[in-house]
Amino acid sequence: MAPRSFWKGYLKLSLVTCPVAMTPATSENEKVRFHTLNRKTGNRLASQYVDAVTGKPVDEDDEVKGYQRGEDDYVILEDEEIEAVALESTRTIDISMFVPRDGIEWIWYDKPHYLTPDDPVGEEAFSVIRDAMASTKMVGISRLVMYRRERAVMLEPRDKGIVLWTLRYGDEVRSEKDYFGHIKESKPDAKLMTLVEKLIDERTKSWNPAMVSDPVQDRLLDIIASKKKGKKRAGKAKTEAETEPPSNVINIMDALRKSISSEGKSPKRR
């Protein structure tokens, strides 16, 4: 059963409008979450803001946002001032422009959502917008207030629906030149390339969601299940003596040949 939508509004392209519903495409509801408790009483702890100087608790009515402009110097902004500059686009996704699908790199993608028609009458308009983007290999760009912030969003046709991605802000994405610029441009040895390509081929498999399973989560669930049954937690298994760290000076050719040799001993899976 599909989860209930957390947002409902309208998809708009020029004079074409249709009601839509949106649901996050990912979820962390199944993750193990912990509460902080008082060990003596077993009661949950409640957090509270305190004044950093006086150490006294602060009433909610006295909490205010401030922008730091110097040491211990802040510009105070009231909630009304912050709300005054917010967009009114809380319920309408107005597609203002289109860009080529491959023109936006993955690094700009933030959070995916499923967008679906919310009224049988509006399905035709929804389908026309979706199919037109698919046939032209374009994605729509709009702006929307989500999670209490104005965000740029990208609409991408997918199957019978549309995936709406929130996009990262320009100041959130760091330039790769700042990190990759110092790496020397050099052409690898042809023999080394052949060996690495062979190693890649040996390790190539079809994608499976199990590849990104969370083993820590599984172990935590095992511990919790044991505690529910009143069993004692198993001690940490003893590991073999730590191996010496690899030397910085290695023969890449020998290392690759050994890797390929070990890969060849196990059956190859596709």
Side-chain angles (χ1 to χ4, degrees), residues 130-174:
R130 176 201 64 206
D131 293 348
M133 287 194 294
S135 64
T136 57
K137 297 183 179 179
M138 294 286 179
V139 292
I141 302 295
S142 183
R143 304 191 76 84
L144 187 66
V145 175
M146 295 178 64
Y147 307 110
R148 302 184 68 180
R149 294 181 68 183
E150 173 195 340
R151 298 176 182 272
V153 297
M154 181 191 82
L155 291 89
E156 176 186 15
R158 184 182 180 90
D159 194 28
K160 296 179 181 180
I162 293 175
V163 175
L164 182 146
W165 284 88
T166 54
L167 299 177
R168 301 186 189 280
Y169 294 98
D171 57 2
E172 290 180 336
V173 177
R174 295 173 174 172

Side-chain angles (χ1 to χ4, degrees), residues 191-233:
K191 292 182 179 179
L192 293 178
M193 281 289 292
T194 300
L195 290 174
V196 173
E197 288 171 356
K198 184 176 181 181
L199 188 58
I200 291 174
D201 183 64
E202 290 289 343
R203 295 192 175 197
T204 298
K205 299 179 180 179
S206 299
W207 164 253
N208 189 318
M211 295 177 179
V212 288
S213 61
D214 187 349
V216 174
Q217 170 98 351
D218 294 338
R219 288 196 290 269
L220 283 173
L221 289 173
D222 288 341
I223 294 174
I224 292 170
S226 296
K227 284 182 172 289
K228 284 181 178 179
K229 295 178 181 179
K231 297 180 180 179
K232 291 184 177 180
R233 184 179 62 182

Side-chain angles (χ1 to χ4, degrees), residues 24-177:
T26 60
S27 172
E28 294 187 353
N29 290 340
E30 301 303 318
K31 288 291 184 182
V32 174
R33 298 183 183 277
F34 298 102
H35 296 291
T36 303
L37 309 178
N38 181 337
R39 184 188 294 274
K40 294 180 179 179
T41 65
N43 299 327
R44 287 181 57 181
L45 301 184
S47 59
Q48 185 178 27
Y49 284 109
V50 298
D51 190 296
V53 177
T54 66
K56 295 181 179 180
V58 179
D59 292 334
E60 187 175 351
D61 292 340
D62 293 326
E63 296 173 11
V64 65
K65 293 180 174 59
Y67 177 84
Q68 188 171 6
R69 61 183 175 186
E71 187 175 356
D72 297 327
D73 185 17
Y74 299 87
V75 176
I76 294 178
L77 295 177
E78 301 295 339
D79 290 342
E80 296 79 9
E81 295 175 297
I82 297 174
E83 292 173 359
V85 299
L87 282 181
E88 295 182 357
S89 55
T90 58
R91 290 299 168 205
T92 301
I93 306 169
D94 191 352
I95 305 178
S96 58
M97 68 186 79
F98 295 90
V99 299
R101 171 63 185 82
D102 56 2
I104 304 178
E105 295 185 88
W106 63 268
I107 199 168
W108 293 97
Y109 296 0
D110 182 23
K111 185 177 177 62
H113 305 75
Y114 291 138
L115 195 68
T116 57
D118 194 39
D119 187 327
V121 178
E123 281 193 23
E124 183 178 11
F126 180 92
S127 300
V128 168
I129 296 174
R130 176 201 64 206
D131 293 348
M133 287 194 294
S135 64
T136 57
K137 297 183 179 179
M138 294 286 179
V139 292
I141 302 295
S142 183
R143 304 191 76 84
L144 187 66
V145 175
M146 295 178 64
Y147 307 110
R148 302 184 68 180
R149 294 181 68 183
E150 173 195 340
R151 298 176 182 272
V153 297
M154 181 191 82
L155 291 89
E156 176 186 15
R158 184 182 180 90
D159 194 28
K160 296 179 181 180
I162 293 175
V163 175
L164 182 146
W165 284 88
T166 54
L167 299 177
R168 301 186 189 280
Y169 294 98
D171 57 2
E172 290 180 336
V173 177
R174 295 173 174 172
S175 173
E176 65 268 19
K177 294 181 180 178

Side-chain angles (χ1 to χ4, degrees), residues 4-11 20-23 89-93 115 144-146:
R4 295 176 60 184
S5 58
F6 86 119
W7 182 96
K8 289 188 176 184
Y10 297 90
L11 176 63
V20 291
M22 182 163 49
T23 305
S89 55
T90 58
R91 290 299 168 205
T92 301
I93 306 169
L115 195 68
L144 187 66
V145 175
M146 295 178 64

